[in-house]
């Protein structure tokens, strides 16, 4: 089953914004059994949109259009659709009511530009009635046209929740497909690939999507029936899990912080963190998760030495003898935050994120991570690659993954590729 | 001067590889005075390539083609070009000699598939004689066709070193271009647009790129000379700054945290933060900036009430009488963290990020932000829109922007659209 994507926006052809939504859509659709044959990216240009649209609606059973639905005067997608399909633009009362309600909620003055967003080609069916976002389906001859906002978050929500289910209903794919994404931390893409290359065959495809420091693998199985596709997927998953077991931290929508949060909730246990070079990143990731207040008690970002002394009771002597980036300081930070917060566990991080501050003995990327639990307190030294931001991301991810490995496998000192002998 | 990009590759339309080369090309060309009007991304499909090519060569004075030049049987770009332009494929002796020399260097056996890469449409001029990579220029009627390899590194090298210089020579841009991005917080896209719509004219374009909670505006001016374009841009900037002055926090590569960091560094002043519902996000953003240790002393993430008492000296009575989300608590948090860290400034945040925890009097999105400075300590109540993550992003951004406004305009209590009477 083949289709096309028409991505509209001056910013996309001027290289100001990456066309990530088309990339995600092509990927998600491919994994759902739909092949995208053309991705056309053009500016907010009425004539050009009409030319491409009139070709695409003849050629494909479905077309996904993104962008140009906003309130500003450069947004012309609705007009282009109406003129191409020879349909009048009509004010959609439901959409207008939503826009006015939202203006009222937010205490905004009515804005005629915003109301333009309710003028849709006749027959357009809004894709969502519950969320304040543009997006509609319109049928033309044998073609389903999905018009989505260019805003990535809204585009992805509608793609996943509305477009793919509607495609499955109206244009069921010829082969059954079963697919799952595994999330891995601690292995390299090329090493995973080397181990898995014999697993791929005509009906089993593996996609590699590095999201550093994580690697995401999408495994897609085809079959004559749902059962066959499902069975083929499960067999492959069994082999992959046997190979990479503890490196796999989750699947599909999981994040490391959601997995850790779920484990802590289930066990009724609590966590506190003491961060230096990660600067609050671990606490911030943990508290992105709804309900984290039930297991996350507190965090401290002890950037200065004085803060480590004041807030964590690290001794001045320890900092002077061993330095802020040392095993002794990492242990004292983990013990200090756990002692004052009385949580089940604590994590501590102290290191050199760069770009300055490195030395031959402690180069940029050197990070000590400490972990304290009822069994005791331990610390390990790591050397992470990349720039400041990547070192911070690696350190935060490793700390969270360490806790996950302890909660899942009881491993007090898990092994990682980035461990450094200090 | 307008042109098009045709990106070819199965991996691009299956969502396996992002089409980053087209993005970079569009950006580099736009800033060199060339406008890309279409980016067409299609699979290695002979018929489809021919269809698009035959339209593009008629429509544009230049077309950049990428991908499908490799040795494997699925690479059909050369064949598609030859058939579309009605030219024979001829073995290019220079390219063949290069391929054979390279095989010898690497100790490879001659491979007929590799030699296919030398079969180019008649008249093709290789773009490089010194590097081992595919890529050629071919002229057809009034169109310059640049055929580049899809490999990003090779594509970018040829774009920068060969394509842009050749375009400058054969198709000099008709107009000079001058462009700048302004970053705004605290106004809505539609409201900005309403104020600016009369400013736009043929030679002055304004692009709106919402990156919630920020809005980025790109202003692009054209002119007969660099001076004229620059002058036109400066005039527009003057008008926009007069309209939105204090809402503009930076330009081009600036972030709110880099701007705040620069201001604090210049003044030799310091900062500490006490966060509840933002969970470390403010500290994390501040410490993403290299050198932040010179002005950022510490942060605390006091998620539980006990942490607010232990770490900040908020009184139990205050929490019981007013609640954790209150003016009194925000003031006590800001005062507490500034007192213990002895910094010039402090920020505090306490609120309800959701999705649960709201009540009619304090709905989800209610956030108190406190600010403490040598003049005293103040707090304001906000109601932010969106889901948990957006509320957190709005709260962190508002806190940082408040400090920026104080440092820039001496405003102790800046006004924001999201202020709520409590």
């Amino acid at each position: 089953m083949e289709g096309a994507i028409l991505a509209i926006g001056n910013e996309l052809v001027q290289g100001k914004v990456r066309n990530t939504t088309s990339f995600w859509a092509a990927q998600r659709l491919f994994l759902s059994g739909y092949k995208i044959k053309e991705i056309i990216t053009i500016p907010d240009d009425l004539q050009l949109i009409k030319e491409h649209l009139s070709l695409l609606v003849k050629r494909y059973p479905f077309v996904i259009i993104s962008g140009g639905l906003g309130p500003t005067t450069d947004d012309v997608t609705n007009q282009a659709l109406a003129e191409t399909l020879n349909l009048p633009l009509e004010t959609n009362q439901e959409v207008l009511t939503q826009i006015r309600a939202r203006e009222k909620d937010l205490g905004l003055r009515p804005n005629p530009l915003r109301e333009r967003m309710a003028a849709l080609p006749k027959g357009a069916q809004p894709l969502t009635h519950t969320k304040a976002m543009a997006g509609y389906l319109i049928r033309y001859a044998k073609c389903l046209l999905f018009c989505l906002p260019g805003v990535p978050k809204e585009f992805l929500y509608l793609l996943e929740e509305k477009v793919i289910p509607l495609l499955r209903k109206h244009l069921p794919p010829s082969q059954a497909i079963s697919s799952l994404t595994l999330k891995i931390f601690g292995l390299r893409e090329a090493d995973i690939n080397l181990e898995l290359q014999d697993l791929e065959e005509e009906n089993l495809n593996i996609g590699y999507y590095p999201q550093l420091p994580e690697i995401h693998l999408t495994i897609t199985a085809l079959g004559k029936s749902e059962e066959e596709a499902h069975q083929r997927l499960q067999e492959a998953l069994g082999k992959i899990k046997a190979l990479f077991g503890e490196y796999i931290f989750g699947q599909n929508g999981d994040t490391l912080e959601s997995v850790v949060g779920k484990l802590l909730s289930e066990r009724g246990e609590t966590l506190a963190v003491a961060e230096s070079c990660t600067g609050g990143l671990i606490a911030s990731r943990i508290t992105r998760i709804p309900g984290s207040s039930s297991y996350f008690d507190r965090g401290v970002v002890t950037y200065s030495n004085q803060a480590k002394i004041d807030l964590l009771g690290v001794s001045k002597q320890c900092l002077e003898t061993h330095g802020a980036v040392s095993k002794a300081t990492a242990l004292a930070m983990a013990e200090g935050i756990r002692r004052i917060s009385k949580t089940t566990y604590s994590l501590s991080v102290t290191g050199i994120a760069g770009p300055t501050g490195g030395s031959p003995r402690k180069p940029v990327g050197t990070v000590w991570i400490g972990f304290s639990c009822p069994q005791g307190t331990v610390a390990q030294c790591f050397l992470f690659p990349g720039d400041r931001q990547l070192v911070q991301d690696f350190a935060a991810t490793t700390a969270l993954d360490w806790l996950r490995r302890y909660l899942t496998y009881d491993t007090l000192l898990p092994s990682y590729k980035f461990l450094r002998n200090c």
Side-chain angles (χ1 to χ4, degrees), chain A residues 266-337:
Chain A
E266 283 166 4
R267 298 159 70 116
E269 296 176 333
T270 55
L271 174 67
V273 299
E275 304 181 61
S276 187
C277 72
T278 45
L281 181 59
I282 301 177
S284 173
R285 285 176 59 174
I286 292 169
T287 56
R288 285 288 195 192
I289 306 299
S292 47
S293 59
S294 73
Y295 50 83
F296 184 67
D297 180 78
R298 72 186 73 179
V300 295
V301 183
T302 51
Y303 227 50
S304 66
N305 277 353
Q306 194 57 46
K308 293 180 184 76
I309 296 168
D310 292 349
L311 295 174
L312 299 170
V314 178
S315 73
K316 208 175 164 192
Q317 199 203 334
C318 170
L319 290 166
E320 278 169 7
T321 313
H322 304 285
V325 179
S326 65
K327 182 169 192 169
T329 301
L331 290 170
M333 287 171 69
E335 274 169 5
I337 190 71

Side-chain angles (χ1 to χ4, degrees), chain A residues 43-57:
Chain A
D44 298 284
D45 176 318
L46 187 63
Q47 201 48 43
L48 208 51
I49 301 173
K50 286 167 65 178
E51 279 174 31
H52 280 289
L53 258 183
S54 57
L55 285 173
L56 294 176
V57 295

